[in-house]
Amino acid sequence: MKKNTYRTVVLIAMLFLFCCGCGKSKITYKLTVTGSAEKPGVLSFLNYDINVYQDEASNSCGDCADQPAHLYVGATQEDAAAAIAEAVKRADDLWDVSEQQGNTVTLTERAAGSVSKKDFSTLDAPYGLTIEDNFGHKYVGKEDSASVDTVKTINNLDGSRLSVPVDPERLAAVYGPSYEALVVLGQEDKIVVCSDVQKDDFPWASVVFSRIGSLPCLENVHTSVSFEELMKYDPDLVFSFPRPNEEKQLEEAGICYVPGTTTKNLDEMKKLLLVYAHALGNGAVEKAESYNAYFDEKYQYITERTSSLSDSERPSVYYAGIDLLTTYGSYSDIPEVIEAAGGKAVTADLQAGNHTQINFEQLATWNPDYIFIDHGGIGEGETVEQLKNDINSDDQYKDINAVIEKQIYLTPSGVFYWDMGLQKVLLMMNMAKILHPDLFTDLDMTSEVITFYRTFYQYDLTYDQAQKILNRQDP
C-alpha cells in the first residue's frame, strides 16, 4: 500500500510540473506607428534602433546591400512599420513577424519565456512619429529629442549591432591595426590618441603618417588599456581591443566603440574595414571599397597563376610570429595567404588562431621547405633578425629543410606588421614572388610598395625608401 501511495505522489508531481510547462504561452507583441518622420533620429523598440536619415547623402552606407533597416525624413507610418518588420526578420532570433498590416506589426515570441518584458518600454521615435505597443507603452517623437541625429547603428562583423556617433570627431586608435585603417579611410586628422604598439617598433610610421609622431600614446595596450588614461582624451569613438571588461567600461561611460578582431579569412579582413568605414562615414565607405577592389585585383593576379599548381609544385611553408615556435592556425587568414601565394601551409589543419604556441617536435614533423618570420620584437622579445640568427645557429633546427636550403625569410613591416594590417596584400605578393620567382618575373615589389603607399597612405616613397622597407631597414 505504501509503495502505491508513493507512486501516486510521484505521478501527481510529474503531472504538475508538466502542466506548469505547458501553461507558459508565447507573447504576442504588437507595435503601431502613426505620423511621418519630420526630422532625422532613431526609431527604437525592443532594443532595436532604426536610423532615420535626413537624406541619402547623410547615410554613410549609401546604397550598400548589407546595411540595416533604415528610413529617411518623410517616411510614412507604413514605411516605419515595414522597416520594423524588416529589422526583426533580418536580425532577430527571439521574435517572428506574424503579421504586418498597414502601420501595425505583430510579433510572436519564438520560444515561450525567452524574452523579458522590461525591454517593451524601450520605445523612441524621431519628431513626427509616434510608436506604441499593446502593453500600454507609448512614445511621441519630440522636436528636441536627444536621440535626433546623434547616434546611428551599424552591423558588426559577427552580426551584432553597434551604436556609433553619426559624425564622430574624436577617435581613439587603441587596437593595433586601427591607426593604419583610419589613415586608409581618410580619418587620421580626427585621431586624438594612439597606442604604443602602433609606433614603438615602427619608425616608418612616424615618417609616413602625418600625425602619429605628435599624438599622445597609451602604453602597454597589448596587456590592458588604462580606462582612466583613455578618458583624458575625451574620445567619442574608440577602436578597441575585443576585451569584454574594457568594452563594459566604455558602455558604462556611454562611449561608443568598435572592437577589432583577428580575421579568420581574407574576406573577413575586407569586411572589417567596411565596419570601420560605416562607423566613420564622411567618405570612408568609398575609400574602403577602393581598397577592397585593389585587394581583389591583386588577389586575382596572383591566384590566376598559382591556382593551377599541382600539389608537388607547392612548397610547404611555416609562418612564425613573435618567436620561432609561435604560429598561425586555421582560425587565422595566414594559411589562406600562403595558399594564394602558391604554397602549402603546414598549419592549415591546426585548430588555432594567431600566435599559437607549438613545440619543436611539431615543427620538425612538418619539416617545412620555407619559413617566414614576422611579428618579432614585441615587449622584451627577440627581433625577427635575432630569431633568424637563432634558427641558423641552433643545431636543433639543422635538419629542417628550410634551414638546409637557406629558405628563411623575414617579412617586411614598414608602417605596421604585414601579417596583421592592410599591407597583407603586399605580404601575399611578396611571398608569391619568393616561392615562385619564375611565375612572377613581371612582379616588381619595389614598385608595388611605392604604389601602395601613394594610393592608401598618400605618401610618396622614393625608390630607396621602398627598398629599405622590403629589406626591413629603418628610415
Side-chain angles (χ1 to χ4, degrees):
M1 183 70 179
K2 287 182 179 178
K3 191 175 289 185
N4 289 336
T5 301
Y6 173 75
R7 287 174 177 169
T8 302
V9 170
V10 171
L11 283 169
I12 291 171
M14 290 175 68
L15 284 168
F16 175 77
L17 290 172
F18 178 77
C19 291
C20 286
C22 291
K24 190 176 289 185
S25 60
K26 296 180 180 179
I27 295 173
T28 297
Y29 188 62
K30 186 177 293 187
L31 284 165
T32 301
V33 187
T34 54
S36 62
E38 297 183 26
K39 287 193 174 184
V42 179
L43 181 65
S44 299
F45 65 99
L46 297 176
N47 292 324
Y48 274 88
D49 295 324
I50 297 174
N51 290 318
V52 181
Y53 299 102
Q54 179 64 45
D55 49 34
E56 290 188 9
S58 63
N59 180 356
S60 62
C61 192
D63 59 357
C64 57
D66 61 345
Q67 67 175 315
H70 60 284
L71 296 165
Y72 294 103
V73 168
T76 66
Q77 56 195 31
E78 290 80 12
D79 294 333
I84 290 172
E86 179 189 354
V88 173
K89 288 175 181 177
R90 287 178 59 178
D92 208 310
D93 58 357
L94 298 177
W95 297 93
D96 287 317
V97 178
S98 53
E99 184 181 26
Q100 188 228 318
Q101 188 169 8
N103 64 331
T104 299
V105 182
T106 303
L107 309 178
T108 304
E109 188 181 18
R110 186 164 292 181
S114 62
V115 300
S116 171
K117 290 185 178 180
K118 68 179 182 181
D119 294 334
F120 295 178
S121 61
T122 59
L123 299 179
D124 199 354
Y127 181 60
L129 286 176
T130 296
I131 184 170
E132 57 184 313
D133 65 18
N134 56 325
F135 285 83
H137 304 112
K138 181 176 181 178
Y139 187 89
V140 180
K142 300 178 179 64
E143 190 166 9
D144 59 348
S145 173
S147 67
V148 170
D149 207 21
T150 59
V151 176
K152 64 183 181 182
T153 57
I154 62 170
N155 284 341
N156 196 8
L157 192 63
D158 62 1
S160 62
R161 286 149 39 98
L162 299 170
S163 294
V164 296
V166 168
D167 189 16
E169 292 293 336
R170 300 182 60 82
L171 310 178
V174 178
Y175 182 58
S178 65
Y179 196 103
E180 178 199 20
L182 296 180
V183 171
V184 170
L185 296 174
Q187 307 293 309
E188 187 183 12
D189 62 324
K190 296 182 179 180
I191 300 174
V192 295
V193 62
C194 61
S195 62
D196 56 349
V197 296
Q198 295 155 347
K199 62 189 213 180
D200 283 0
D201 298 319
F202 303 103
W204 281 104
S206 294
V207 173
V208 175
F209 298 153
S210 62
R211 299 186 62 236
I212 196 168
S214 60
L215 283 171
C217 180
L218 300 176
E219 300 294 335
N220 301 314
V221 297
H222 259 312
T223 304
S224 65
V225 175
S226 169
F227 179 75
E228 292 74 16
E229 185 69 18
L230 174 61
M231 288 301 98
K232 291 179 182 178
Y233 304 103
D234 192 27
D236 58 7
L237 182 58
V238 177
F239 292 87
S240 64
F241 283 86
R243 297 171 182 153
N245 61 319
E246 294 174 5
E247 291 172 359
K248 183 179 179 182
Q249 288 180 308
L250 292 168
E251 289 170 359
E252 291 175 348
I255 305 297
C256 297
Y257 65 90
V258 178
T261 187
T262 299
T263 53
K264 300 179 181 65
N265 53 63
L266 296 176
D267 191 51
E268 275 195 359
M269 183 201 74
K270 294 185 293 179
K271 288 180 178 178
L272 181 60
L273 185 64
L274 279 169
V275 172
Y276 275 28
H278 290 313
L280 294 163
N282 297 305
V285 172
E286 290 78 8
K287 291 182 181 296
E289 290 173 343
S290 176
Y291 172 87
N292 289 345
Y294 167 88
F295 186 97
D296 290 343
E297 176 188 333
K298 296 302 181 181
Y299 181 86
Q300 182 178 359
Y301 163 70
I302 296 296
T303 56
E304 277 181 347
R305 304 184 188 191
T306 61
S307 59
S308 61
L309 292 170
S310 66
D311 189 67
S312 62
E313 292 173 313
R314 290 176 172 268
S316 59
V317 177
Y318 174 75
Y319 203 94
I322 299 181
D323 60 50
L324 294 174
L325 297 177
T326 301
T327 190
Y328 304 71
S330 60
Y331 302 148
S332 82
D333 53 20
I334 292 300
E336 187 178 356
V337 170
I338 294 170
E339 294 294 325
K344 289 185 293 188
V346 297
T347 59
D349 296 323
L350 181 66
Q351 303 297 300
N354 279 9
H355 303 159
T356 297
Q357 199 72 31
I358 61 168
N359 56 38
F360 170 75
E361 289 72 22
Q362 178 65 78
L363 179 60
T365 300
W366 284 330
N367 194 20
D369 299 315
Y370 286 76
I371 293 176
F372 290 84
I373 307 174
D374 198 349
H375 235 87
I378 291 180
E380 300 300 318
E382 291 185 301
T383 66
V384 292
E385 290 79 10
Q386 290 170 323
L387 293 173
K388 182 177 181 180
N389 182 64
D390 290 346
I391 200 170
N392 282 319
S393 60
D394 189 335
D395 283 346
Q396 178 178 230
Y397 297 98
K398 65 183 176 60
D399 294 326
I400 291 176
N401 282 345
V403 178
I404 295 171
E405 300 298 328
K406 302 188 185 307
Q407 299 291 3
I408 301 170
Y409 296 89
L410 306 182
T411 298
S413 58
V415 297
F416 197 64
Y417 300 114
W418 278 21
D419 65 338
M420 289 289 289
L422 298 176
Q423 294 176 105
K424 197 169 291 180
V425 64
L426 296 176
L427 169 62
M428 177 182 63
M429 288 190 280
N430 194 51
M431 187 180 290
K433 178 80 172 180
I434 291 169
L435 298 181
H436 300 285
D438 292 343
L439 285 181
F440 295 99
T441 56
D442 60 332
L443 177 55
D444 182 346
M445 282 307 302
T446 305
S447 295
E448 292 292 344
V449 170
I450 290 172
T451 298
F452 186 92
Y453 274 56
R454 179 189 304 122
T455 304
F456 298 109
Y457 303 148
Q458 293 78 53
Y459 186 85
D460 287 317
L461 291 172
T462 66
Y463 183 89
D464 287 344
Q465 285 177 318
Q467 285 273 294
K468 283 184 176 182
I469 289 173
L470 287 168
N471 292 327
R472 293 191 62 88
Q473 296 174 325
D474 288 344

